[in-house]
Amino acid sequence: MSSAHAVAPDGAIPAPQVPRSRIVIASMVGTSIEFFDFYIYATAAVLVFPRLFFPAGNDTTALLASFATFGLAFVARPIGSILFGHFGDRIGRKATLVGSLLTMGVATFAIGLLPTYAAVGLWAPALLAIMRFTQGVGLGGEWSGAALLATETAKPGKRAWAAMYPQLGAPIGFFFANGIFLLIVIATGYDSVNSGTDHAFLTWGWRIPFLLSAVMVIIGLYVRLKLEETPVFKLAVERGQKVKTPLAQVFKTSWRQLIIGTFVMLATYTLFYIMTTWVVSYGTGQVSDVNGPELAISYTDFLELQLIAVLFFAALIPVAGLLADKYGRRPTLIVITSAIVLFGLSFHWFADPASASAGKMLVFMCVGLGLMGLTFGPMSAVLPELFPTNVRYTGSGISYNTASILGAAVAPFIATWLVSSYGVGWVGVYLAIAAALTLISLIIMKETRDQSLDSV
């Protein structure tokens, strides 16, 4: 890490000229909308797309194909981080945040209008894949911009606390995405096991959340267009510290930080997409454990369990921000990641199909998503703090989104294969291995709590 990364104390950075409340809302509302868009796709990837967008046949094969399109967005996210990172480091955080939100919103709205396989054949999954890829490009640029908006305007000693606001967008978006799906399922009387493809939910009901995203995007744009550029970026511009090619510069000067940041995020991503995407297919009996009977919790009941568990996710994000500011990023995350390893090794006890129940699954998800809140909370402070100002958007975005390929993109696919081939305990072992890699990266990483963001 460059020694120039601590040129000036935090106190030397001018205070932002807009009210702090507006910054908080802008950093949180955008990520809430982005994650809402992302999660309605994740829910539909289990509930809708295998039945409507892929040829009829083996149910597990259709589910795996749906998960493959789900994973496409994670391949696109590093591309989005490079694209939006270039402009974020060249022209500023504000304009880039607006562009990423529009990209995500247009793609999500378009998914709600797509024809199904029965109408247009193979064009249906092809168009779905294109829109999913576009979603990933947008989200790839969103997170870094929101994180930088929060951290580069934070008060001294309060960066992890300030940075937890965009992280709250994840559980907020998740709650509203699954909540809306739950209301539609109840209103239409949909049964994921017995209802045919001519059911109202599969005919038009599933499209409602995707189309509603347009309203949310308009609100998000209104808030973000009233922002000013961050004072840290303004200083860099005044000093002539911008670089022409942030991507080349970040690989030249900060390649170690890129690797460390990627693996620091690995456990977080793996945990989250096991606990939110794969677990739905397992809990509702769409994927059977090779060692026992399939779970048969109804989709409606399971969604209610998830909505309860996500409250633990949201509640522990602020706790993680406080701990990271008080004790430092490394000690806090090392303890939390060690707990994730232990949680992974407990999967067989929690989710064994021979003894699992709705109550036990609720505890399982509350523990998993509670740990997710603790590990996710400090990340929008940790990753930006690894990089200097002139490549911070690009560097933090590449690390965050490359981790999404290694962790999130493949997690539902690998977990589905493991449980159907070897049993649910091996899904936990997979999570424990990912967390162990994160532990190694945290041990190597230098503490960043006292680093100045006013650096080149």
Side-chain angles (χ1 to χ4, degrees):
M1 189 174 299
S2 172
S3 60
H5 199 52
V7 170
D10 281 350
I13 300 172
Q17 298 301 306
V18 298
R20 182 71 199 166
S21 58
R22 186 182 299 172
I23 294 171
V24 167
I25 293 171
S27 65
M28 187 165 58
V29 72
T31 52
S32 298
I33 293 167
E34 300 274 356
F35 280 105
F36 171 85
D37 289 358
F38 217 65
Y39 296 151
I40 56 176
Y41 190 102
T43 300
V46 174
L47 195 63
V48 177
F49 298 148
R51 302 189 67 179
L52 296 185
F53 282 82
F54 297 95
N58 183 276
D59 289 343
T60 300
T61 301
L63 179 64
L64 289 173
S66 181
F67 278 157
T69 63
F70 175 76
L72 262 181
F74 295 98
V75 177
R77 283 168 67 159
I79 297 173
S81 66
I82 292 170
L83 174 66
F84 288 107
H86 176 85
F87 293 106
D89 286 325
R90 288 287 300 157
I91 66 174
R93 312 333 190 186
K94 174 185 172 179
T96 309
L97 275 169
V98 170
S100 65
L101 184 61
L102 275 173
T103 301
M104 184 80 171
V106 169
T108 304
F109 184 81
I111 290 173
L113 300 175
L114 289 180
T116 64
Y117 182 84
V120 295
L122 291 175
W123 277 107
L127 290 170
L128 182 66
I130 292 170
M131 291 302 101
R132 180 59 174 170
F133 188 89
T134 306
Q135 271 192 320
V137 171
L139 188 57
E142 162 62 29
W143 180 85
S144 293
L148 267 56
L149 176 64
T151 55
E152 290 186 346
T153 56
K155 295 179 180 179
K158 299 291 185 181
R159 276 205 301 261
W161 175 257
M164 68 90 183
Y165 286 106
Q167 305 301 77
L168 280 173
I172 290 171
F174 182 91
F175 186 85
F176 280 103
N178 279 11
I180 290 173
F181 260 116
L182 177 61
L183 290 174
I184 296 170
V185 165
I186 293 173
T188 59
Y190 178 68
D191 183 335
S192 61
V193 176
N194 299 315
S195 297
T197 55
D198 60 344
H199 191 277
F201 176 77
L202 292 177
T203 303
W204 53 266
W206 71 270
R207 299 178 184 273
I208 294 173
F210 290 91
L211 300 178
L212 281 177
S213 67
V215 178
M216 301 177 71
V217 168
I218 291 170
I219 296 171
L221 288 174
Y222 173 78
V223 174
R224 287 189 168 179
L225 287 170
K226 288 183 170 293
L227 292 174
E228 292 184 2
E229 193 52 75
T230 70
V232 172
F233 185 80
K234 286 181 179 179
L235 277 177
V237 172
E238 291 170 3
R239 296 169 180 170
Q241 294 169 345
K242 290 195 298 182
V243 293
K244 291 184 178 180
T245 54
L247 178 63
Q249 182 72 9
V250 77
F251 276 101
K252 179 181 178 181
T253 63
S254 304
W255 61 270
R256 291 181 181 85
Q257 292 93 312
L258 286 173
I259 295 172
I260 290 171
T262 296
F263 282 95
V264 162
M265 275 296 303
L266 181 64
T268 304
Y269 265 125
T270 306
L271 172 65
F272 187 60
Y273 282 90
I274 285 176
M275 298 308 301
T276 58
T277 302
W278 167 79
V279 77
V280 176
S281 60
Y282 179 69
T284 57
Q286 296 184 54
V287 176
S288 300
D289 190 302
V290 70
N291 297 316
E294 67 181 28
L295 296 181
I297 303 171
S298 73
Y299 177 75
T300 302
D301 290 342
F302 198 86
L303 205 54
E304 290 173 353
L305 299 181
Q306 271 201 314
L307 290 174
I308 294 170
V310 81
L311 298 177
F312 287 79
F313 180 17
L316 289 173
I317 285 176
V319 173
L322 289 171
L323 292 173
D325 274 335
K326 183 174 182 179
Y327 298 107
R329 290 35 165 162
R330 285 180 71 251
T332 300
L333 287 171
I334 285 173
V335 171
I336 294 166
T337 306
S338 299
I340 294 173
V341 172
L342 296 176
F343 175 65
L345 298 178
S346 73
F347 267 43
H348 181 73
W349 183 85
F350 271 117
D352 181 1
S355 61
S357 64
K360 205 170 182 180
M361 288 299 291
L362 176 60
V363 175
F364 175 60
M365 289 189 291
C366 288
V367 172
L369 287 175
L371 287 170
M372 177 62 198
L374 291 172
T375 185
F376 190 57
M379 287 301 173
S380 57
V382 173
L383 296 188
E385 288 169 351
L386 289 173
F387 299 94
T389 301
N390 56 5
V391 295
R392 185 170 294 133
Y393 204 126
T394 302
S396 60
I398 290 175
S399 292
Y400 182 83
N401 292 299
T402 302
S404 76
I405 295 179
L406 300 178
V410 297
F413 192 95
I414 291 175
T416 297
W417 173 73
L418 283 171
V419 75
S420 60
S421 301
Y422 301 101
V424 72
W426 283 96
V427 178
V429 171
Y430 164 54
L431 172 61
I433 292 171
L437 292 173
T438 291
L439 266 179
I440 294 170
S441 300
L442 288 167
I443 292 168
I444 295 171
M445 185 187 87
K446 295 181 180 179
E447 178 58 56
T448 60
R449 178 180 59 178
D450 299 321
Q451 295 282 14
S452 172
L453 293 186
D454 178 28
S455 61
V456 292

